[in-house]
Every structure is written in structure tokens, then in C-alpha cells.
Amino acid sequence: QVQLVESGGGLVQPGGSLRLSCAASGSIFSINAMGWYRQAPEKERELVASVRSGGRINYADSVKGRFTISRDNAKNTVYLQMTSLKPEDTAVYYCNAELRTWSRLDGMDYWGKGTLVTVSS
């Protein structure tokens, strides 16, 4: 019913840049928030950045000043522009959406499959 598809991951050198995209599709009634999480090897999944429908944005302290989250409401798409990448940014990045569907109007969380970002020289 709902799909979140991430793209843009890959291998990049330290100091480089990368832009991730996540497009939500399906029987969507409304989207309250979209965001990005990441999970490094042998680490727990953590919030990277999120944006709510009203425009409020949260960033993890570790990415403030380097990452920028943005959202195109018309396309149900969220982006994560990553700059000054560090090896510690290496992780699988997951797209998350809090949304309502036409069949279930209560808000629920949905997840993408993830896209791998590797920062290495």
C-alpha cells in the first residue's frame, strides 16, 4: 500500500558530498513528517534529521552544519544533502515517514529498505 524508496547512496571520499532522496508512494492521505535514520555496523539505529509538515526540523548533533534536510510536499519526497562527509558517517541510511493512508487514517510509521553510504579513501 505504501512504499518508501531511497536512492543516492554510494561510495564517497572523506570531505565529499552526497544527496539522498526518498520518495513515498501509494495510498497516502497525508504525511505528518519525514526523516532519515542511519545504522552503522554493530550500532543502533539513530535519528539523523527529520522535518514535520509544519516545517519544524531536527538534526542530530553530529550532523549539524553539514547535513541539510528538505522536503518536496508535491512529490512526497524528502532529501538529505550531506556535505563534509566523514568516515563515521558510514552507515545504512533509512527513510522514515509518519503518515496516514486512505484505509488507515491513524498515523503510522513506514520505513524504506535503506541505502548504503560508505565514506572511505
Side-chain angles (χ1 to χ4, degrees), residues 3-7 21-25 95 112-113:
Q3 287 186 319
L4 302 179
V5 181
E6 304 101 331
S7 63
S21 299
C22 173
S25 62
C95 180
K113 297 293 185 181

Side-chain angles (χ1 to χ4, degrees), residues 88-105:
E88 50 262 45
D89 294 318
T90 296
V92 176
Y93 285 70
Y94 297 91
C95 180
N96 168 261
E98 177 187 327
L99 58 81
R100 297 179 176 185
T101 66
W102 288 102
S103 60
R104 292 194 64 176
L105 293 177

Side-chain angles (χ1 to χ4, degrees), residues 1-8 20-37 45 49 51 69 71-73 75-79 92-101 108-115:
Q1 296 247 294
V2 175
Q3 287 186 319
L4 302 179
V5 181
E6 304 101 331
S7 63
L20 305 183
S21 299
C22 173
S25 62
S27 184
I28 299 172
F29 176 76
S30 64
I31 299 178
N32 290 337
M34 298 188 76
W36 291 93
Y37 290 71
R45 189 173 299 187
V51 56
I69 189 170
R71 179 178 169 184
D72 186 334
N73 292 332
K75 297 181 179 179
N76 289 336
T77 300
V78 65
Y79 306 93
V92 176
Y93 285 70
Y94 297 91
C95 180
N96 168 261
E98 177 187 327
L99 58 81
R100 297 179 176 185
T101 66
M108 296 182 64
D109 281 331
Y110 294 84
W111 294 89
K113 297 293 185 181
T115 184

Side-chain angles (χ1 to χ4, degrees), residues 10-90:
L11 175 64
V12 64
Q13 294 184 347
S17 299
L18 212 58
R19 189 179 78 156
L20 305 183
S21 299
C22 173
S25 62
S27 184
I28 299 172
F29 176 76
S30 64
I31 299 178
N32 290 337
M34 298 188 76
W36 291 93
Y37 290 71
R38 68 185 181 187
Q39 187 166 22
E42 301 182 5
K43 300 291 181 62
E44 294 185 353
R45 189 173 299 187
E46 64 175 352
L47 173 69
V48 178
S50 65
V51 56
R52 301 198 66 84
S53 60
R56 289 179 297 170
I57 295 175
N58 289 327
Y59 290 103
D61 289 340
S62 60
V63 307
K64 287 181 179 178
R66 299 189 298 119
F67 291 9
T68 302
I69 189 170
S70 61
R71 179 178 169 184
D72 186 334
N73 292 332
K75 297 181 179 179
N76 289 336
T77 300
V78 65
Y79 306 93
L80 186 67
Q81 180 66 52
M82 304 182 293
T83 63
S84 301
L85 283 162
K86 305 174 181 179
E88 50 262 45
D89 294 318
T90 296

